[in-house]
């Protein structure tokens, strides 16, 4: 399948060069050209893409802030005439950074990295699907676990768990059925392996029940008006892949 690409640059000549280079790469498909971040935002709200080639220095909203504002950003290659943005570009998990003026060879290098990252995402998605299937088969119809808390052993239904919070050697299981969490001496990894497919680790300290999420806002998930959980950098891509698999375009 071709990689769907959006080109963004406020300079018409630079935008045309991007479009020309994209057209020279067989596995890239240019779906649109935008001359501002707000225009690109409107396009992405209508039709998500796999990757964007985005200028940084643009009026109204620069490319860096534009990408940071996206709840589910596609793969990003930044283009700019200013090298000082390189470090910041990679902090937002950019695939590559093209310093203007760049030639076709530089562009091809960035395109190959986009292709490789797409392949890695696809493989990761298949692996997670297989793991979830195996976990479901292994668990059968089991819908609960028993955990030790204080001097008791209590049964916890998976459907009752909103999220799990790690605290050193302890876990807090936040439940729908009671205001106070159940605290147990247990490693996060041990519980993670027992949880069914609708649970995902989104941070080193949090596992969330995906069915309980009501909103995703930038770098956090929202469960209700008072509960916000951060999305850790190393967990962002798998979570974004989950969102993309369920994203409905208008």
């Amino acid at each position: 399948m071709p990689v769907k690409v959006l080109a963004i640059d406020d300079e018409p000549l630079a935008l045309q060069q991007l479009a020309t280079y994209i057209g020279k790469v067989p596995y890239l498909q240019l779906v649109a050209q935008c001359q501002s971040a707000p225009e690109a935002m409107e396009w992405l709200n209508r039709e998500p893409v796999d990757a964007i080639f985005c200028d940084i220095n643009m009026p109204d909203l620069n490319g860096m802030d534009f990408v940071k504002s996206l709840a589910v950003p596609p793969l990003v290659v930044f283009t700019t005439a200013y090298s000082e943005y390189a470090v910041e570009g990679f902090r937002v998990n950019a695939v590559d950074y093209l310093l203007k003026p760049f030639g076709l060879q530089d562009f091809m290098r960035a395109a190959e990295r986009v292709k490789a990252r797409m392949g890695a995402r696809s493989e990761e998605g298949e692996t997670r699907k297989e793991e979830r299937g195996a976990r479901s088969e292994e668990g059968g119809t089991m819908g609960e676990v028993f955990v030790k808390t204080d001097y008791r052993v209590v049964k916890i239904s998976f459907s009752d768990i909103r999220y799990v919070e790690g605290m050193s050697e302890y876990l807090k299981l936040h439940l729908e059925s009671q205001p106070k969490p159940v605290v147990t001496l247990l490693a996060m990894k041990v519980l993670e392996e027992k949880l069914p497919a609708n649970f995902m680790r989104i941070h080193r300290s949090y596992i969330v029940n995906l069915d309980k999420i009501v909103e995703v806002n930038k770098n956090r998930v929202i469960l209700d008006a008072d509960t916000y959980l951060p999305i850790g950098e190393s967990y962002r891509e798998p979570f974004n892949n989950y969102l993309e698999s369920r994203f409905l375009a208008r």
Side-chain angles (χ1 to χ4, degrees):
M1 291 180 61
V3 179
K4 294 183 178 180
V5 174
L6 186 66
I8 310 167
D9 200 305
D10 64 311
E11 299 177 8
L13 291 179
L15 187 60
Q16 183 56 52
Q17 183 191 51
L18 268 178
T20 299
Y21 285 169
I22 291 169
K24 293 180 182 294
V25 182
Y27 53 82
L28 296 184
Q29 176 188 344
L30 180 64
V31 297
Q33 303 176 50
C34 300
Q35 288 189 261
S36 70
E39 182 185 353
M41 184 81 76
E42 289 182 12
W43 179 270
L44 291 175
N45 286 336
R46 294 193 304 270
E47 182 179 340
V49 299
D50 300 311
I52 59 175
F53 286 80
C54 182
D55 185 30
I56 293 178
N57 293 280
M58 294 187 292
D60 299 324
L61 180 65
N62 71 49
M64 195 73 66
D65 291 336
F66 164 63
V67 170
K68 290 177 181 178
S69 73
L70 299 175
V72 188
L75 299 177
V76 180
V77 176
F78 283 118
T79 65
T80 184
Y82 301 93
S83 59
E84 63 266 23
Y85 285 109
V87 173
E88 188 178 357
F90 288 114
R91 282 178 181 163
V92 296
N93 203 28
V95 176
D96 207 350
Y97 176 94
L98 291 171
L99 186 62
K100 297 178 181 180
F102 54 87
L104 180 59
Q105 185 176 355
D106 293 326
F107 181 86
M108 289 291 291
R109 180 200 69 220
E112 284 294 323
R113 290 182 176 177
V114 169
K115 182 181 179 183
R117 186 76 70 88
M118 284 290 295
R121 278 189 172 186
S122 178
E123 289 177 10
E124 182 181 339
E126 289 300 317
T127 299
R128 290 188 66 86
K129 190 183 297 182
E130 291 172 6
E131 289 176 348
R132 287 174 182 235
R135 197 184 301 171
S136 296
E137 287 182 17
E138 183 182 295
T141 58
M142 183 182 70
E144 67 277 326
V145 289
F146 287 86
V147 299
K148 293 180 180 180
T149 178
D150 296 327
Y151 299 102
R152 301 174 295 139
V153 175
V154 298
K155 183 172 70 173
I156 304 292
S157 297
F158 291 141
S159 61
D160 194 25
I161 300 174
R162 302 179 70 218
Y163 67 97
V164 179
E165 180 181 2
M167 304 186 308
S168 185
E169 298 176 347
Y170 290 84
L171 297 181
K172 281 185 177 180
L173 279 64
H174 295 263
L175 309 178
E176 292 276 10
S177 60
Q178 61 186 61
K180 292 183 63 175
V182 172
V183 180
T184 183
L185 178 62
L186 192 65
M188 182 81 85
K189 185 66 175 177
V190 172
L191 180 61
E192 186 178 8
E193 291 174 351
K194 294 293 185 182
L195 291 170
N198 59 310
F199 285 82
M200 180 179 288
R201 188 132 177 210
I202 60 168
H203 187 276
R204 62 179 299 180
S205 300
Y206 294 101
I207 297 173
V208 67
N209 185 338
L210 298 169
D211 296 336
K212 308 297 184 182
I213 297 174
V214 298
E215 184 179 336
V216 179
N217 190 334
K218 296 184 180 179
N219 298 324
R220 62 187 183 178
V221 299
I222 299 173
L223 305 188
D224 58 45
D226 301 312
T227 310
Y228 303 80
L229 304 181
I231 303 170
E233 188 63 38
S234 59
Y235 299 91
R236 187 184 313 281
E237 189 161 337
F239 183 71
N240 285 346
N241 291 344
Y242 160 76
L243 288 182
E244 287 175 1
S245 70
R246 287 157 178 77
F247 193 92
L248 293 180
R250 290 203 294 263

